[in-house]
């Protein structure tokens, strides 16, 4: 639990849980995709969206784990609509397959929650030969969003309901490399820092939402795109850092958010009427927050978009 907290303009704080920030919201008839839905805040996000009536499609690497999550949710909420489809964000081929199958399913898509992520792992390359944190946290979600956008536009047009894209960024965007995004050194092992590479990928999540906002407004689409910091949470994201993991286990209950609190901002941005029409913003503790100057740099966002487009082609 967070040591110091006060309610912000939204009426919520870092203490607020996902259930609390969505209390009284009826989201029946909406369909959402949640990536990374089998662990940590992904599970809680899925559960609370289902509790509010959303049909949730979990994009997951492990279908057996997803089956367990689904059974657990159905035990608590018998009326819940929860499905799972295989998705490995570190593989562009897997992303294309997932999007193709979803788009062929005739399901609508109101909400896309780009939640999956890895943190501070040793230097590795993805199946597509791209540094793994950048590939998984940013590029996979970038491609996924692009491939699902037509379905989201069709859904928002036919339903007359606003579509929402939610990117999980992090306060770690403040600790990226000095240039923000190392376009010329994405795969440079010699200059690799696991934590700065994580910060870089989280900055990329934010810039993606910002540039997407500009493009959606240009298109006149009734879809918003925002990024958020879920909070420092005691989840298995810390598994690659032994020292940090030890500290988390020792002090987590005092300093860190629990999972229901960690999922709150995601559920708030995805469902709350206060966020209607808000796009290209950064949230923390279920309130608007202020990122770094790099996080609002429109030229950097455009450069990242063009760079990402080249990588996925």
């Amino acid at each position: 639990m967070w040591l110091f907290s006060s309610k912000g303009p939204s009426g919520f704080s870092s203490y607020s849980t996902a259930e609390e920030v969505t209390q009284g919201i009826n989201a029946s008839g909406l369909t959402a995709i949640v990536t990374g839905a089998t662990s940590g805040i992904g599970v809680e996000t899925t559960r609370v969206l289902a509790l509010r009536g959303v049909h949730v499609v979990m994009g997951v690497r492990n279908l057996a784990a997803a089956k367990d999550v689904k059974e657990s949710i159905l035990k608590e909420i018998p009326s819940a609509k929860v499905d799972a489809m295989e998705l490995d964000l570190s593989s562009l081929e897997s992303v294309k397959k997932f999007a193709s199958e979803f788009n062929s399913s005739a399901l609508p898509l109101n909400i896309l929650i780009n939640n999956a992520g890895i943190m501070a792992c040793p230097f590795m390359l993805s199946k597509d030969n791209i540094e793994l944190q950048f590939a998984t946290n940013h590029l996979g979600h970038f491609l996924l969003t692009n491939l699902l956008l037509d379905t989201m536009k069709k859904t928002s047009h036919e339903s007359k309901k606003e579509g929402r894209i939610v990117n999980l960024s992090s306060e770690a965007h403040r600790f990226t490399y000095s240039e923000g995004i190392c376009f010329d050194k994405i795969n440079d092992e010699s200059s690799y820092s696991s934590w700065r590479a994580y910060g870089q990928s989280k900055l990329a999540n934010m810039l993606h939402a910002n540039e997407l906002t500009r493009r959606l407004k240009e298109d006149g689409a009734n879809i918003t795109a925002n990024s958020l910091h879920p909070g420092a949470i005691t989840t298995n994201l810390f598994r690659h850092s032994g020292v940090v993991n030890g500290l988390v286990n020792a002090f987590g209950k005092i300093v860190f958010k629990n999972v229901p609190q960690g999922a709150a901002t995601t559920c708030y941005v995805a469902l709350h009427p206060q966020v209607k029409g808000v796009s290209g913003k950064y949230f923390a503790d279920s309130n608007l927050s202020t990122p770094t100057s790099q996080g609002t740099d429109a030229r950097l966002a455009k450069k990242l978009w063009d760079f990402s487009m080249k990588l996925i082609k």
Side-chain angles (χ1 to χ4, degrees):
M1 187 172 285
W2 211 238
L3 284 176
F4 307 104
S5 176
S6 58
K7 288 182 179 178
S10 69
F12 303 115
S13 72
S14 61
Y15 284 107
S16 303
T17 65
E19 282 199 33
E20 287 167 354
V21 302
T22 58
Q23 189 66 44
I25 293 174
N26 180 359
S28 298
L30 300 184
T31 301
I33 289 173
V34 179
T35 68
T38 55
S39 66
I41 61 175
V43 175
E44 180 69 356
T45 298
T46 299
R47 185 188 74 82
V48 172
L49 291 185
L51 180 67
R52 302 302 174 218
V54 179
H55 176 191
V56 183
V57 177
M58 301 183 287
V60 300
R61 282 184 303 177
N62 187 334
L63 287 173
K67 186 170 179 280
D68 292 342
V69 171
K70 179 177 178 176
E71 286 175 0
S72 171
I73 291 172
L74 286 172
K75 191 180 265 188
E76 181 199 343
I77 314 158
S79 62
K81 294 179 185 173
V82 180
D83 292 301
M85 291 172 59
E86 192 171 5
L87 172 64
D88 178 357
L89 271 305
S90 71
S91 162
L92 297 179
E93 197 54 48
S94 175
V95 173
K96 289 173 187 173
K97 185 172 181 285
F98 174 93
S100 175
E101 288 176 0
F102 184 87
N103 288 334
S104 300
S105 72
L107 282 171
L109 184 58
N110 305 90
I111 302 163
L112 172 60
I113 298 177
N114 291 320
N115 165 79
I118 56 173
M119 177 193 278
C121 59
F123 181 84
M124 286 181 269
L125 294 178
S126 71
K127 292 170 186 172
D128 304 288
N129 291 314
I130 299 158
E131 188 276 308
L132 195 61
Q133 293 193 81
F134 189 82
T136 305
N137 297 353
H138 166 65
L139 199 63
H141 283 125
F142 176 84
L143 175 60
L144 180 69
T145 304
N146 274 14
L147 294 176
L148 295 172
L149 214 46
D150 283 345
T151 297
M152 289 198 75
K153 287 177 180 178
K154 183 172 182 277
T155 301
S156 66
H157 178 72
E158 291 178 354
S159 67
K160 302 291 188 285
K161 290 177 181 173
E162 175 182 271
R164 295 188 183 182
I165 296 166
V166 183
N167 280 3
L168 269 78
S169 178
S170 168
E171 281 293 280
H173 81 276
R174 301 181 187 280
F175 308 111
T176 182
Y177 299 102
S178 58
E179 58 266 60
I181 308 290
C182 297
F183 295 105
D184 300 325
K185 294 182 179 178
I186 284 293
N187 289 348
D188 183 11
E189 186 174 0
S190 65
S191 60
Y192 181 78
S193 156
S194 61
W195 284 103
R196 289 195 184 279
Y198 178 68
Q200 171 178 253
S201 71
K202 294 290 101 182
L203 174 62
N205 293 145
M206 188 182 298
L207 294 172
H208 172 217
N210 295 352
E211 177 63 12
L212 189 55
T213 290
R214 188 187 70 76
R215 289 167 181 266
L216 289 167
K217 284 179 178 174
E218 219 171 56
D219 289 347
N222 186 24
I223 300 170
T224 62
N226 291 292
S227 58
L228 63 91
H229 170 57
I233 307 149
T234 50
T235 72
N236 65 359
L237 267 180
F238 292 104
R239 64 188 177 275
H240 291 295
S241 179
V243 175
V244 176
N245 199 33
L247 290 170
V248 168
N249 291 334
F251 301 107
K253 288 181 181 175
I254 305 169
V255 179
F256 291 83
K257 287 184 178 185
N258 59 36
V259 170
Q261 292 166 340
T265 306
T266 301
C267 292
Y268 173 78
V269 176
L271 289 183
H272 207 285
Q274 287 178 355
V275 189
K276 185 172 168 47
V278 177
S279 195
K281 299 298 182 184
Y282 175 61
F283 290 80
D285 298 332
S286 302
N287 281 276
L288 282 167
S289 190
T290 306
T292 61
S293 57
Q294 286 177 331
T296 56
D297 187 330
R299 280 184 298 181
L300 189 61
K302 172 71 166 62
K303 187 175 180 182
L304 175 66
W305 184 282
D306 294 341
F307 180 71
S308 303
M309 286 299 289
K310 284 176 186 169
L311 288 177
I312 62 174
K313 284 175 179 173

